[in-house]
Amino acid sequence: MFKTILLAASADHACDNAAKSAFRLADLTNAHITVFHVLGMPAHGFSQEVIDVKTGEKVEASEEYISWVKEEIKIYYAKQFEKTKSFDIKIAVGMPYREILREIKNGRYDIVTLGGTSKEKISVYKKHMLGSTVLRVAKASPIPVMVLCRPSSSFLKNISSILFCADFSKESDAAFNFAANLAKFFNCNLDIFNVADISPVFSKNIIEQDEIDSQISAAYKKIEEKYIPHTKNIIKTVANVCEGIPYVEIVKYAREKNSSLIVIAHHNKENENFGSNMEQIIVRSASPVISINK
Amino acid sequence: MYQFLTGFMFWVSVSIFFIGLFVRFIFYFTGLNWRLDRVAYKSYPFYGIKGALKSVFKWLFPFLTRVWRKHFFITIASFAFHVGAVIVPFFLLAHNVFIRGKLGIFHSIILNQLTADILSWLVVIGAVILTIRRIVLPQARILTRGYDYFILFLAVAPFITGLCARYEVGNYSFWLYSHIIFGEVFLIAAPFTKLSHLVLFFASRIQIGMDFEIKRGGMKSKNGMAW
Amino acid sequence: MYSGKLCSKEPVKTKEQLQALLKDTRGKTYYKEMQNLEVDTDLLWKTIQTTLNSRIKTWLEICSRCGICAESCFLYLANDKDPTQIPSYKIQSTLGEIIKRKGDVDNAFMQTAMETTWGKCTCCNRCAMYCPNGIDTGVMFSYLRGLLYQQGFVPLEMKIGAGMHRIYYAQMDITDEDFIDTFEWIVEEYEKDYQGLKVPVDVKNADIMYTVNAREVKYYPEDLAYAAILFNLAQENWTVTSKGWEETSLAMFAGDWEACKIQVKHVYEAMERLKPKRMIGTECGHAHRATVIEGPYWMGRKDGKPPVESIHYVEWVAEALRTGKLKINPEKRIKTPVTIQDSCNYVRNGGLKDITREIISYIVEPGYFVEMEPCGENNFCCGGGGGFNGIGIYRNHRNKGLTVKRDQIIKTGAKLVLAPCHNCWDAIRDLEEEFKIGIKWSFLKPLLIDMVEIPESMKPAS
Ligand code: SF4
Ligand code: SF4
């Protein structure tokens, strides 16, 4: 399923959960793993001095320094590297999300794994930009983006089910294909889940229950037409629709079902309120979230 | 002696003064090079002239530029010094009488005695303040060399001696001789020393005015360079 | 005559040399070699004799040594009124001395001169406005940079920067392919958000040819996307060129006049090839100075103008807002106290003060804009001009220099500083990093992107 996995991480605890799931994925798919570390922005004008993303200190991005960082990463992930088929380590200088995207563009990766958003060090160069590395990568990445902030249980042990969050957009169709393939590959259940968004309730208009009900039945129908025909080779596919605030319901549902992976589409409509749903799911979910936008 | 100083030396010093300064002024401009200076001096005559005039005019009168307003004391001292130093020699009655004797020209604007006295004193006082400033202010002290005091002395000596002669302090003819000698030394030295700023001030201001007006945005901002 | 491997009188000519210099961490070897560099006094004097003309000669001669220029220099103020930071003192003790000694100076002298030239003056030309005699010390320092460069006494980063221009026609090792590739890539990322977004490459006879700063390509490609979005929103007929796209010139900071010419020639050739109606450069001050203000003279263009009318990005923004090509959503105007950093290179030396104020009138809610004191053509250098930002060995000098801008900003009470210039932007970022005064800073593009109305036809398809 995956031949090469890009793990964008610095060798520290903030990325541990993401790293673990990446290595696990590599393990399961017998993939090559590339650990990618971004040193940070050149600190001053056009000099070579950079701010190390991990320590926040100013360092000269010299060759010695870079090989030292590589060595550090090797030591940090020594145990995991032992088990992987093959790996390499790459270092870049620049704005992390940008360099990760550049690496994705230039390399041949099947999936990229990123560490958490919550613990990111806020250094000065980021202050002028909105949004975190994860959201920016998720928005633009042409390949699936897997994110995990909290310690994951089921994915690391035993993959039992995949949760696909449907919203019937074009991106969502792509996400479905990906989720279905995963379910086939892991030979596990697929949960198709849709939430009739009632968050407007909290702003102004009240939605009649009738309207909600009709939304729900429409969603069931769509799932039936669009997705179910393509689930023949999957052990078991369950469709579920409910009303609520999307991220709350999704996280809840994933917990109930003990989902090992959540697959979700990232699309433009979230532009207005850039990725807030996505971000909430990522921060709250105990399972790795895979975002697809193409 | 008097004959020599007011005859031969007068002609020599006056010629050196005028011809010398004229030559320096001309050479300044012939020495400019649009490529080296990176200013298209000749391509925009309108803007060139406008910038030049403004740059000279604004600095020629007190308080028209920011610097003149900001540095109140030095502005007063400096203008007191320069105004007197330029006006008195040309318009003093005694000089006029003398020049009529030499050239037969007599111009009608003559300073009355009181004005002449005041202006001359202002020159001296201005010079004293400027000297003290050079000694006291660190930013002037570090820049000042003996040469600068010497130039100041060259400029003010004719006035001091002139005033001494005017008030007949001690030996009149001694002061008169000194006055003439210092005056002539001044005239002769002007083109060869920093005193040449008499004309080069204008030259330099014209250049920088054109520089900013033609090349550095003068054509783009509403009022050109605001000095 | 001694010549080091890294530090020599020769400019960088090959990629290998560039690599060697880049590898020399903190210029350890480079500056060590500089200790042994000999001064070619004959060459120095000969160069002076052929290039020093009446303007600079007169300046040096008639300086009345009054010290009035002292307070005009931000470095004098930043360094507790250190008299050795007075413009006149700085230039008289370096260039003045070299000329007095007819070029007969030694290594130690040249090294001090180098420190003064790149570590104590940013060529901001502010002193020129304050000298009664019209003496422009910044211009003289720029001249001195040329002399020092020729002798090999130049800070490492300057040598590298000039070398980059000689080899890549850009201030960084970015090839023409990298440029187009990055531009297209980043625009692709945004094409979902803005329908019909594209980057036209090498289109002839377009209305606008857009040129950039290589740093954008390397580190802030977003900026390229924003430029594309804004041009598209304004429905401009624009293009970028696949060759000659770099507007900046570190060679100018280095005093490498030959490289300056190489660089600007490359850009002018693009103008002549594509024949656009106008060239618009990005939000960069020195790039504008190099390509639009000084460039024509390096190329020997008699009218002092580039081959096609060339303007700064702020001029285009003002025009687009004025003519309604870009419309601001009034609700999204800036509503925090905001000030603007006037770049020396296009405000004092380019006359664009009024233009930026016009932009402010459209994008800032009335009452929120605060001027710095002083401002406009009187504004102080950001603290990082003339290459100061990038030079490792003078980092402390630079950080000290930033204090003037810091205090100016604090006094305005602004929380956001508009910095439509790469150097200023960098300096203000570093200033925040150094002193943590709690401000944000921004180019115009990202702010505009958030504020402009998007016509229906460009809104994302749902
Ligand atoms: S203000 Fe002008 S004349 Fe006075 S010291 Fe400075 S450069 Fe010289
Ligand atoms: S050009 Fe600017 S930095 Fe240089 S001496 Fe003049 S005021 Fe100071």
Side-chain angles (χ1 to χ4, degrees):
Chain A
M1 174 107 199
F2 304 121
K3 286 202 189 71
T4 45
I5 296 171
L6 179 64
L7 166 61
S10 50
D12 72 357
H13 298 301
C15 298
D16 276 357
N17 296 321
K20 271 187 205 149
S21 53
F23 281 109
R24 165 87 168 139
L25 198 61
D27 214 15
L28 290 168
T29 57
N30 200 21
H32 172 93
I33 200 161
T34 300
V35 178
F36 185 62
H37 177 69
V38 185
L39 289 176
M41 280 296 287
H44 300 282
F46 30 84
S47 71
Q48 294 148 271
E49 209 171 71
V50 301
I51 297 179
D52 190 89
V53 176
K54 187 174 135 197
T55 58
E57 275 164 23
K58 279 181 206 162
V59 284
E60 195 87 18
S62 63
E63 262 177 35
E64 295 118 79
Y65 177 73
I66 287 174
S67 49
W68 176 80
V69 173
K70 280 190 178 173
E71 218 30 61
E72 280 286 288
I73 292 174
K74 236 185 236 166
I75 294 167
Y76 194 85
Y77 294 125
K79 257 206 214 135
Q80 284 96 325
F81 281 147
E82 256 171 43
K83 281 190 254 160
T84 40
K85 186 185 92 184
S86 57
F87 71 91
D88 66 335
I89 300 170
K90 285 190 176 173
I91 308 285
V93 173
M95 197 81 81
Y97 81 91
R98 180 50 50 206
E99 294 314 309
I100 294 168
L101 285 172
R102 211 191 288 267
E103 183 60 26
I104 293 172
K105 177 180 74 119
N106 295 337
R108 288 223 182 92
Y109 300 101
D110 299 308
I111 188 167
V112 53
T113 318
L114 294 170
T117 47
S118 48
K119 288 178 191 161
E120 263 185 292
K121 283 220 172 59
I122 303 295
S123 54
V124 170
Y125 66 83
K126 276 196 202 127
K127 262 175 68 178
H128 77 285
M129 301 205 122
L130 300 166
S132 65
T133 306
V134 170
L135 290 179
R136 286 175 164 261
V137 173
K139 178 172 185 269
S141 166
I143 60 171
V145 181
M146 180 160 91
V147 194
L148 180 61
C149 297
R150 306 181 55 212
S152 160
S153 43
S154 79
F155 179 67
L156 296 179
K157 287 188 200 104
N158 158 38
I159 297 177
S160 56
S161 70
I162 308 248
L163 170 59
F164 161 61
C165 309
D167 64 16
F168 313 114
S169 64
K170 203 170 91 224
E171 291 85 0
S172 185
D173 295 349
F176 169 76
N177 289 336
F178 182 77
N181 284 339
L182 272 183
K184 277 176 223 161
F185 181 82
F186 290 126
N187 208 10
C188 68
N189 296 346
L190 177 65
D191 284 309
I192 303 178
F193 185 54
N194 173 265
V195 183
D197 191 355
I198 59 154
S199 34
V201 169
F202 299 101
S203 51
K204 30 194 180 304
N205 30 357
I206 305 258
I207 308 174
E208 297 290 332
Q209 190 58 36
D210 285 350
E211 198 187 324
I212 295 176
D213 286 345
S214 71
Q215 257 188 50
I216 290 179
S217 52
Y220 271 119
K221 211 170 143 216
K222 268 193 207 153
I223 293 175
E224 202 59 49
E225 282 166 9
K226 258 191 149 166
Y227 302 138
I228 299 297
H230 305 286
T231 57
K232 282 192 190 103
N233 303 328
I234 296 169
I235 307 183
K236 187 178 157 203
T237 306
V238 179
N240 234 316
V241 182
C242 74
E243 71 265 45
I245 299 166
Y247 73 85
V248 178
E249 298 304 320
I250 290 171
V251 173
K252 251 172 31 191
Y253 190 76
R255 194 169 48 222
E256 269 164 34
K257 294 276 171 171
N258 200 11
S259 307
S260 316
L261 276 170
I262 300 176
V263 178
I264 187 169
H266 181 287
H267 50 79
N268 288 324
K269 275 190 230 133
E270 301 206 64
N271 228 5
E272 292 280 295
N273 188 354
F274 182 42
S276 64
N277 247 325
M278 179 78 132
E279 188 170 27
Q280 290 306 321
I281 299 171
I282 289 169
V283 174
R284 287 157 203 271
S285 162
S287 322
V289 178
I290 298 182
S291 144
I292 310 262
N293 80 41
K294 268 195 185 140
Chain B
M1 178 71 176
Y2 184 79
Q3 276 303 316
F4 175 71
L5 284 179
T6 55
F8 179 71
M9 279 317 289
F10 169 78
W11 289 115
V12 168
S13 57
V14 167
S15 329
I16 288 180
F17 179 78
F18 282 107
I19 296 171
L21 288 182
F22 179 72
V23 166
R24 290 222 59 180
F25 192 68
I26 295 302
F27 273 18
Y28 177 85
F29 288 103
T30 55
L32 292 178
N33 178 319
W34 71 273
R35 258 194 107 154
L36 287 176
D37 302 344
R38 307 206 288 264
V39 182
Y41 294 115
K42 291 186 188 149
S43 302
Y44 305 93
F46 171 75
Y47 286 100
I49 292 169
K50 183 176 150 219
L53 287 180
K54 215 170 114 183
S55 159
V56 172
F57 178 80
K58 281 237 174 185
W59 289 85
L60 215 46
F61 298 95
F63 310 120
L64 284 188
T65 62
R66 251 178 302 260
V67 164
W68 288 153
R69 285 191 293 268
K70 201 167 158 221
H71 299 267
F72 190 79
F73 273 107
I74 183 174
T75 305
I76 302 260
S78 175
F79 274 94
F81 176 78
H82 282 100
V83 166
V86 172
I87 293 182
V88 174
F90 280 104
F91 301 108
L92 190 71
L93 179 65
H95 286 182
N96 249 307
V97 174
F98 176 78
I99 287 171
R100 183 164 59 164
K102 287 275 160 200
L103 301 170
I105 321 168
F106 192 90
H107 53 72
S108 49
I109 324 156
I110 297 166
L111 296 176
N112 66 33
Q113 191 65 46
L114 184 66
T115 325
D117 282 348
I118 293 176
L119 284 177
S120 304
W121 276 112
L122 282 179
V123 171
V124 176
I125 295 166
V128 170
I129 296 176
L130 291 179
T131 309
I132 294 175
R133 183 180 174 278
R134 282 195 187 276
I135 298 168
V136 176
L137 286 189
Q139 70 262 41
R141 193 167 56 222
I142 189 171
L143 292 172
T144 306
R145 303 149 304 168
Y147 180 60
D148 299 294
Y149 289 119
F150 174 65
I151 293 294
L152 202 58
F153 174 73
L154 276 189
V156 80
F159 287 87
I160 295 175
T161 48
L163 280 170
C164 289
R166 145 102 176 80
Y167 294 113
E168 296 180 33
V169 188
N171 185 340
Y172 171 77
S173 63
F174 167 76
W175 291 119
L176 185 65
Y177 274 116
S178 317
H179 177 68
I180 297 170
I181 290 172
F182 276 123
E184 287 172 354
V185 167
F186 175 91
L187 292 178
I188 293 168
F192 307 106
T193 59
K194 224 157 78 174
L195 292 169
S196 56
H197 77 275
L198 217 66
V199 292
L200 292 181
F201 162 82
F202 293 94
S204 174
R205 284 238 65 91
I206 289 172
Q207 191 281 331
I208 199 79
M210 292 173 81
D211 194 328
F212 273 103
E213 194 74 16
I214 291 173
K215 173 187 172 192
R216 297 195 242 170
M219 299 189 207
K220 285 210 167 156
S221 64
K222 269 186 212 139
N223 307 314
M225 179 49 71
W227 295 105
Chain C
M1 197 162 276
Y2 172 86
S3 182
K5 266 212 196 84
L6 299 178
C7 183
S8 69
K9 294 180 179 44
E10 286 299 305
V12 178
K13 292 223 172 88
T14 64
K15 281 188 189 166
E16 290 67 42
Q17 287 172 326
L18 256 185
Q19 276 310 320
L21 283 167
L22 282 167
K23 271 188 196 154
D24 183 23
T25 312
R26 287 179 199 277
K28 254 184 237 140
T29 320
Y30 181 82
Y31 292 115
K32 202 146 120 219
E33 286 179 3
M34 193 180 281
Q35 303 297 333
N36 299 317
L37 203 59
E38 278 171 64
V39 185
D40 186 342
T41 48
D42 292 337
L43 177 68
L44 182 57
W45 185 233
K46 231 177 77 202
T47 312
I48 290 176
Q49 281 176 313
T50 47
T51 57
L52 187 85
N53 65 343
S54 64
R55 174 168 77 154
I56 294 183
K57 246 188 244 160
T58 305
W59 278 343
L60 288 170
E61 184 189 342
I62 65 168
C63 168
S64 38
R65 297 177 174 254
C66 59
I68 285 182
C69 52
E71 281 170 27
S72 68
C73 181
F74 77 103
L75 284 163
Y76 170 80
L77 299 174
N79 288 285
D80 311 313
K81 308 205 169 181
D82 175 359
T84 62
Q85 288 277 6
I86 299 171
S88 170
Y89 181 84
K90 288 186 275 195
I91 198 67
Q92 294 287 355
S93 62
T94 50
L95 182 61
E97 199 60 27
I98 293 176
I99 292 167
K100 209 155 97 199
R101 298 197 210 163
K102 296 205 177 352
D104 189 15
V105 290
D106 59 9
N107 179 298
F109 181 93
M110 290 297 261
Q111 289 204 43
T112 326
M114 175 175 96
E115 183 183 347
T116 312
T117 308
W118 278 279
K120 294 183 177 178
C121 175
T122 61
C123 297
C124 73
N125 305 94
R126 190 169 190 268
C127 42
M129 299 189 54
Y130 288 78
C131 168
N133 285 317
I135 297 174
D136 191 334
T137 306
V139 164
M140 287 195 273
F141 267 117
S142 169
Y143 174 74
L144 180 56
R145 286 181 178 200
L147 297 179
L148 292 172
Y149 182 88
Q150 185 192 41
Q151 298 286 334
F153 290 90
V154 53
L156 174 70
E157 292 83 353
M158 295 289 107
K159 182 107 184 178
I160 295 175
M164 289 283 181
H165 285 288
R166 285 169 176 268
I167 291 163
Y168 291 96
Y169 298 109
Q171 62 161 283
M172 296 179 134
D173 44 358
I174 291 176
T175 61
D176 294 341
E177 291 74 42
D178 288 343
F179 168 67
I180 294 298
D181 201 42
T182 308
F183 215 142
E184 286 177 343
W185 164 52
I186 194 81
V187 161
E188 213 172 278
E189 252 179 39
Y190 281 84
E191 88 204 336
K192 284 195 295 185
D193 303 338
Y194 301 91
Q195 264 198 65
L197 186 65
K198 59 180 188 332
V199 42
V201 181
D202 283 336
V203 176
K204 290 206 169 137
N205 304 315
D207 292 341
I208 293 170
M209 176 179 116
Y210 183 57
T211 56
V212 308
N213 177 329
R215 285 179 65 75
E216 292 165 0
V217 185
K218 189 133 185 163
Y219 297 122
Y220 322 105
E222 242 74 20
D223 204 272
L224 304 177
Y226 295 159
I229 293 168
L230 291 169
F231 282 142
N232 275 38
L233 286 175
Q235 299 186 340
E236 292 283 15
N237 169 12
W238 69 292
T239 186
V240 292
T241 164
S242 57
K243 281 193 169 50
W245 45 269
E246 164 74 297
E247 198 194 13
T248 71
S249 180
L250 292 187
M252 176 173 76
F253 290 164
D256 183 348
W257 308 126
E258 200 186 328
C260 284
K261 193 173 162 186
I262 293 174
Q263 173 63 40
V264 83
K265 184 159 175 263
H266 203 59
V267 183
Y268 289 0
E269 277 167 3
M271 294 182 188
E272 268 147 13
R273 186 162 47 86
L274 296 183
K275 300 202 177 12
K277 287 211 186 70
R278 291 195 294 182
M279 188 279 273
I280 296 181
T282 187
E283 291 175 70
C284 182
H286 94 276
H288 182 76
R289 178 94 178 258
T291 305
V292 183
I293 300 179
E294 308 286 353
Y297 298 100
W298 295 327
M299 291 301 298
R301 298 181 63 88
K302 266 209 143 105
D303 62 352
K305 298 267 183 266
V308 304
E309 188 195 351
S310 300
I311 59 173
H312 191 272
Y313 198 75
V314 294
E315 294 178 85
W316 178 77
V317 172
E319 176 194 294
L321 292 171
R322 190 187 313 133
T323 56
K325 280 186 202 165
L326 287 178
K327 284 193 195 66
I328 298 290
N329 178 346
E331 293 193 348
K332 292 193 178 159
R333 283 198 292 215
I334 299 171
K335 289 190 197 63
T336 37
V338 54
T339 185
I340 188 165
Q341 160 61 15
D342 286 305
S343 155
C344 307
N345 280 325
Y346 67 83
V347 174
R348 178 160 36 256
N349 294 300
L352 298 184
K353 172 186 77 170
D354 307 318
I355 290 285
T356 46
R357 301 305 183 280
E358 186 187 346
I359 296 174
I360 284 162
S361 74
Y362 302 123
I363 67 170
V364 178
E365 190 77 11
Y368 287 93
F369 176 66
V370 204
E371 287 280 12
M372 285 188 199
E373 170 58 44
C375 64
E377 56 276 90
N378 284 295
N379 198 3
F380 288 113
C381 170
C382 58
F388 215 12
N389 270 338
I391 301 173
I393 42 168
Y394 304 139
R395 176 67 20 85
N396 292 338
H397 298 50
R398 203 282 313 252
N399 287 351
K400 194 90 212 266
L402 291 176
T403 54
V404 171
K405 189 54 60 189
R406 174 197 66 189
D407 297 343
Q408 261 187 303
I409 293 175
I410 291 177
K411 232 178 110 195
T412 63
K415 290 283 163 264
L416 172 67
V417 182
L418 303 179
C421 166
H422 270 266
N423 257 315
C424 301
W425 191 97
D426 275 343
I428 293 170
R429 180 192 73 180
D430 288 2
L431 174 165
E432 174 63 17
E433 184 177 291
E434 200 60 32
F435 306 110
K436 311 230 167 5
I437 59 172
I439 47 159
K440 290 192 173 165
W441 61 98
S442 180
F443 289 114
L444 289 173
K445 293 186 202 100
L447 297 171
L448 288 168
I449 289 284
D450 285 342
M451 276 184 245
V452 286
E453 311 245 15
I454 303 171
E456 274 314 313
S457 61
M458 273 189 82
K459 281 197 177 144
S462 47

